[in-house]
Structures are given as C-alpha cells and as structure tokens.
Amino acid sequence: MLDQFMGGGTTLAEAKLLNRNAIGVDINPQSVLIAEANLQFQCETNSKILIRKGSAIDLHFIKDNRIDLICTHPPYANIIKYSQGIDGDISLLEAEDFLIVMKKAAEESYRVLKKGKVCAVMIGDIRKYGKVVPLGFRLMECFLQAGFQNKEIIIKKQHHCRSSSYWRKRSRDFLLLEHEYIFVFQK
Ligand SMILES: C[S@@+](CC[C@H](N)C(=O)[O-])C[C@H]1O[C@@H](n2cnc3c(N)ncnc32)[C@H](O)[C@@H]1O
C-alpha cells in the first residue's frame, strides 16, 4: 500500500501490523524521521516498509499500475501548517492553489494504482471568514477528473475537536464542522 502524505506514519504502522508491504512519502524531513522512529517496533510480521522524503505529485520511483491500495490523509489546505516554508509543502497553500496541486497528486495516484484497486483519502471541509469552503467535495472532483470513480463516501464524526469548545461558548451564526470525509475511489 501507499501513503504519499505519510506524516508520522500511522498508516504504515497499521500496514506493518497487517503484514502488508507499504511505501510512505512525505515532503517534510521531520515527518520522515518521526515515521522511521514510529516504525521501529517489533512484531511477528515480515512486511517491507519503505519510507522516503518526496512529493506526492512526483512518485517517479513507482512504476505505473504497481500499487494495490492507497490510503492517505493530505493537509486540509493551510488549516494546519506542517512546516514553516518547505518548498512543495501544500499545507502552506490557500484552498484554490491547494486544489491545483491536489489535482496533480490525484493524477499521480491514478498512475501508480493497479486497475480495479482503491484509493482512500481522508479530508475535511474548512471555513474562511465565516463561510464554509467545501474542500472535501472540491478534492473529490480532482480525483474524479483524474479518472477515478466514487466507490464509497464515508462521513467520519470528529470527536474532541480542539476548537469546538472555544466556538460553543461564543455566539456565532454558523454550525461547527465536526465531521470529515473518507472518499473511497476506485480505478
Ligand atoms: C494530515 S498530515 C498526515 C498525518 C498522518 N496521517 C499521520 O498519521 O501522521 C499531512 C502530511 O502531508 C505532508 N505534505 C504536505 N505537502 C506534501 C507533499 N507535496 N507531498 C507529500 N507530503 C506532503 C505534511 O508534511 C504532513 O505530514
């Protein structure tokens, strides 16, 4: 399996426990170090785990139609910035620029995945100046335009959101965003 927005390597750790071979990619060298440390645990499986620093829009080291499963979790545009200026870090981009780059990431996902296999992507919506930005469905469009089909749309309730208690105590004229999507695309 492939997680091209690997972060600390949670998905890779699950892959290791499930005896799946896995590739993790992240633009941030700090994430690479953290993931490498997190993957050091011993278990009875003997899967191969490859961790690389790189960009989700350039997976040149993976040939076409090679991957059995993609399971990934990109940034939600610049809601959380994962670095302070790393070139190519899409967590530094406003929504529209983020979506342009994610279209390329979707095309690269389509290229490396085997036909008939699935690509699961977790993403949430964001709010800008009090107005909701439907980042989830905009991202879904990127993957559909890249050639994928929608297999499932899963709504994941978010518990213990950091900002919820802050906003609950204040008067506001908008609903809280307390869900994320897991889009399951099929090639
Ligand atoms: C939401 S986090 C992933 C969290 C991960 N699921 C975990 O369990 O730790 C998104 C990751 O995308 C990375 N990222 C940002 N731009 C990237 C790019 N162009 N290519 C690859 N990774 C990128 C960030 O460095 C961050 O680690």
Side-chain angles (χ1 to χ4, degrees), residues 1-63:
M1 63 81 57
L2 166 71
D3 180 359
Q4 65 273 60
F5 294 99
M6 167 187 68
T10 316
T11 315
L12 265 61
E14 293 299 329
K16 181 169 170 172
L17 290 167
L18 292 167
N19 202 17
R20 295 192 79 122
N21 296 333
I23 301 173
V25 177
D26 203 287
I27 199 92
N28 190 332
Q30 201 63 32
S31 292
V32 170
L33 290 177
I34 294 169
E36 281 170 350
N38 286 343
L39 268 292
Q40 286 304 315
F41 66 89
Q42 299 296 318
C43 68
E44 283 172 11
T45 60
N46 62 351
S47 53
K48 292 191 199 83
I49 308 289
L50 173 70
I51 292 175
R52 272 182 80 117
K53 185 183 112 44
S55 176
I57 66 168
D58 178 13
L59 304 172
H60 62 272
F61 59 96
I62 306 177
K63 292 189 178 144

